Amino acid sequence: MRNKLFFAALLIASATSTLHAQRTTESLNFGWDFHRGNADISNINVNDGTWQTVDVPHDFQISQDWVPPSADEKENNSDGASNFKSRLSARGFKEMGDGWYVKTITPAESLKGKRILLDFEGIMYVGDVYLNGKRIGGTDYGYLGFDIDISKLLNYGQPNTIAVHASTSGPMNSRWYTGGGLFRDVNLITTPADIYFARHPLFVTTRDNHLVDLQIEVANYTKRNEIKLRTTIADQQGNIVYDKTADMHFNRKMRTNELKWETIDIAEPKLWSCETPHLYTATVTILDDNGNETDRTSTRFGIRTIEIGPDFGLKVNGKKVLLKGIANHHTLGALGAAAYPRAMEKRIQMLRDFGFNHIRTSHNPYSTSFLDLCDQYGILVLDELYDKWLDQYTGGRRPWMEQWPTDLPEWIKRDRNHPSIIAWSLGNELQTYPNLPFGDWGVTPYRMMKPVLQRYDNTRKITVAMHPRGRSLETDSLPAPLVMETDIAAYNYRYMYFPGDGRRFPWMTFYQSEANTSMMGPNYYEMDLDKVMGLAYWGQIDYLGESRGWPAKGWNDGSFDISLQPKPIAYLLRSMFKPEEPVVHIGIVDTKADETEWNGIIFSNDGMSEHWNRTAGKKYNINVYTNAERIDLIVNGKTVAQQQNTTDPKKRNKLRFNDIEYQPGYIEAVAYNDGKRVASHRIETTGKATRLKLTADTTTWKADGQDLMHVRINAVDSKGRRTWSAQQKLNFTVEGDASIVAVDNGNLNSDESFTSTARSLYNGSALVILRAGQKPSNITLVVSGEGFKTQKIKLRSLTPSPSPRGEGR
């Protein structure tokens, strides 16, 4: 029924669109029938009891059971990512497998003669698409999208069955949890069949912070030698700042032409930067001889200048900018790989609040919606295509040497208009692999890819992130041969090589493409911050996969837990990244750091918490993170210790107070600059948890079928203070047009499911993530738990406003 209703709307849209543009884009995200495991494409029966209805984005692995190590497997993964001993530790202890998605559409007879595309933004990890039982296309690298022209394959006026097979099994061998399935948007696109915009048709570049160059790719299957185009540019408030119509010559020797529009001079331009991420929208339409619009495409862009060089690192619009960044995988915690824009936005907002301005997309392309958000929030992006240049890390179904010539253009053409992207990265930690093509540690493959990339964008620098153990084959005193080829010397962890390599090779520009939490502080302050581009701290948001030992389901060495609660050490980052803001925060050491080697790098971080309910008379070690000059540590009104901050990179902003005796009441760290109190952090002894406090993360919730609402549940005492000792199991129900898509509590050691309607409190907290339906609705989340009165939070989803993007494909 949902499919029939959807296509009734599609037919109406297609009929009315003849009055304006002929291009329509209809979402196919809703109402898929899903089957876990293999299926016979010749005999699919969605009514046999093994299928369920799901909406896209969807990750079929996140709901699978955890698979602990078997008796003959090593439980931990301390040898590092290159030597997994526990079969599924890298993949989040989720079994690899297959999923099938089926949807029926009935295109109207009136659509005959149009060009109709099935557009997939990604299928994880590899995928095959069938129409009426026949394979019509697919992907061998699910991080990138593709479309399929089905114009001549459809049965018009009759039901047509689309089937998609997604697989994470087989020869692929990702080193982390990837998720699986239709994890990004699926659309049905209709255009004219004779003259139309090609896939990713616009290429916008800017010069001198006011000039705009525009390239437009048009397909022409007529005998016309002239194409009439209209180009408009609107600022962020919708004001038209440019509008012109022109006839463009079309070379009919080729079916597609890249047409060069005249240089556009924007008067009084509003520049894009981290502080003021102003965006313009370029819209191009194809007009017929009567001036009627036949196709339309648009893209957002920013007017800005990026400079990268050895004397200053990075400049944006002529101003030095230091990258203060994170390198994480694409997954979104309890949601798995499903690419929800709101989940990405929540992470970006949190990172910005803590002073981050940079994200490295480790180690594969993220979704388009992620890049849109980085454009909107002023986040600088290093966009990365691959992990290793080997078959098993790029899908495994096709030799990498055959695959990259199609992956690379799709990636660049998809992403090149985003002002947030400052550089391209072609790979990660690959120069140590002797079995790379041509046997020269990546040099020849890089030399092959670079000119292809520059064919589609010659405005950005190109790099590859270097493995920390991969120096020159002759001596560790020299860089790897591949570094000598790249535009940016990107070193994972080995920032200590920057000074020596810079003296030998003064043309090198340095970027610490991964930095570890254990060395947080020294690996920032010991760099020459005036000359380097900056750094990206690895795994600062805990994630599924790359576990260093069961029962941990993933990486838990971050500054934020998997449910996005900051750990105490997150405030060390804040103190470094926001020097203008007085920062002070207490972390009480619960467990002493254990050293673990990972890819040749030592990881060792204290286990800390921030509650003051402890054993009377026992002494504790206290970490205080601050950028202030002096800290007074106070217990129950008495100053028990005092320390000055230091400029020593190894100790800066990290003050350690040992053997502080616990007494019920409170502990407080007070920060001073020039003798004046500028900030404080106080932790109090709490009483017994008496009720549940529910807090929604936003007041704006769109009824678009995809928008999310995150509701935090804290157990609090009679004074409203979070009670860390509360561990009760909670149950959740929702009333109204919304569904529970995930639950979490930040505990990666838990065996509870992320897709349940129940979750235990962990450190007195839990999280419920709701997905809005497609109808504006009053929604109520009901939470119950043993020992607590049932609590409700009333919410409202609203009619969504139009999307800001409308790029043709």
Side-chain angles (χ1 to χ4, degrees), residues 278-343:
H278 190 91
L279 294 168
Y280 289 86
T281 300
T283 301
V284 184
T285 55
I286 300 175
L287 305 176
D288 64 18
D289 292 337
N290 297 317
N292 297 315
E293 185 178 301
T294 63
D295 199 5
R296 173 187 291 223
T297 187
S298 64
T299 187
R300 297 195 303 181
F301 69 96
I303 299 175
R304 91 295 187 253
T305 301
I306 299 294
E307 299 171 81
I308 294 174
D311 296 327
F312 53 83
L314 170 68
K315 289 182 181 179
V316 178
N317 302 327
K319 177 185 175 183
K320 162 71 179 180
V321 175
L322 185 68
L323 296 178
K324 303 171 182 179
I326 182 175
N328 259 66
H329 297 305
H330 68 286
T331 51
L332 298 169
L335 297 164
Y340 290 98
R342 173 56 193 152

Side-chain angles (χ1 to χ4, degrees), residues 45-350:
N45 178 12
V46 297
N47 298 312
D48 68 2
T50 66
W51 296 73
Q52 64 183 107
T53 301
V54 302
D55 295 330
V56 173
H58 181 252
D59 174 2
F60 69 73
Q61 284 196 289
I62 196 66
S63 58
Q64 293 176 188
D65 293 338
W66 305 111
V67 181
S70 60
D72 59 346
E73 289 181 312
K74 181 179 177 181
E75 285 197 0
N76 66 51
N77 189 35
S78 58
D79 290 336
S82 62
N83 188 20
F84 290 121
K85 296 296 180 65
S86 183
R87 182 175 62 91
L88 294 175
S89 60
R91 307 302 294 273
F93 294 102
K94 298 284 189 179
E95 191 61 76
M96 301 302 100
D98 300 84
W100 282 83
Y101 299 81
V102 171
K103 189 176 184 68
T104 300
I105 63 174
T106 304
E109 294 278 357
S110 60
L111 292 177
K112 283 184 178 179
K114 294 185 180 294
R115 176 173 169 262
I116 301 177
L117 304 173
L118 265 178
D119 184 271
F120 296 85
E121 197 187 340
I123 303 175
M124 185 54 59
Y125 196 102
V126 297
D128 300 285
V129 181
Y130 299 81
L131 182 65
N132 300 324
K134 179 182 178 181
R135 187 184 187 277
I136 58 172
T139 179
D140 296 315
Y141 187 57
Y143 290 97
L144 292 172
F146 62 99
D147 59 29
I148 307 168
D149 189 336
I150 59 174
S151 311
K152 298 180 180 179
L153 304 175
L154 287 167
N155 298 317
Y156 293 90
Q158 302 176 43
N160 292 255
T161 300
I162 302 168
V164 180
H165 174 220
S167 178
T168 60
S169 58
M172 75 282 293
N173 185 27
S174 177
R175 300 185 298 115
W176 52 86
Y177 176 86
T178 63
L182 291 178
F183 75 125
R184 293 181 184 164
D185 290 341
V186 183
N187 289 302
L188 190 75
I189 299 172
T190 303
T191 77
D194 50 1
I195 300 178
Y196 54 85
F197 292 110
R199 183 170 175 82
H200 310 309
L202 301 183
F203 181 27
V204 183
T205 56
T206 63
R207 293 179 287 123
D208 301 329
N209 279 349
H210 68 101
L211 300 176
V212 178
D213 294 311
L214 176 63
Q215 176 182 287
I216 308 159
E217 189 173 2
V218 178
N220 180 10
Y221 287 82
T222 73
K223 295 182 179 180
R224 292 170 59 180
N225 295 315
E226 299 285 332
I227 305 293
K228 186 181 293 293
L229 298 177
R230 179 189 178 192
T231 296
T232 63
I233 294 179
D235 66 17
Q236 195 156 294
Q237 287 70 44
N239 303 308
I240 301 298
V241 298
Y242 177 86
D243 188 346
K244 184 172 182 178
T245 300
D247 292 319
M248 307 289 289
H249 175 72
F250 194 97
N251 182 357
R252 290 178 52 234
K253 292 181 180 179
M254 301 180 67
R255 288 300 187 186
T256 61
N257 277 199
E258 293 173 337
L259 306 176
K260 308 288 186 181
W261 195 261
E262 68 176 17
T263 295
I264 301 166
D265 192 345
I266 302 296
E268 300 181 1
K270 299 174 182 177
L271 302 186
W272 186 96
S273 68
C274 295
E275 298 77 21
T276 58
H278 190 91
L279 294 168
Y280 289 86
T281 300
T283 301
V284 184
T285 55
I286 300 175
L287 305 176
D288 64 18
D289 292 337
N290 297 317
N292 297 315
E293 185 178 301
T294 63
D295 199 5
R296 173 187 291 223
T297 187
S298 64
T299 187
R300 297 195 303 181
F301 69 96
I303 299 175
R304 91 295 187 253
T305 301
I306 299 294
E307 299 171 81
I308 294 174
D311 296 327
F312 53 83
L314 170 68
K315 289 182 181 179
V316 178
N317 302 327
K319 177 185 175 183
K320 162 71 179 180
V321 175
L322 185 68
L323 296 178
K324 303 171 182 179
I326 182 175
N328 259 66
H329 297 305
H330 68 286
T331 51
L332 298 169
L335 297 164
Y340 290 98
R342 173 56 193 152
M344 302 173 206
E345 181 180 42
K346 185 174 178 66
R347 283 156 175 76
I348 289 172
Q349 289 172 330
M350 177 189 72

Side-chain angles (χ1 to χ4, degrees), residues 566-568 585-586 588 608-612 614 681 683 724:
K567 303 176 187 179
H585 202 88
I586 298 169
I588 301 164
M608 289 180 287
S609 60
E610 46 188 283
H611 68 84
W612 199 237
R614 301 184 180 264
H681 181 219
I683 304 174
W724 283 60

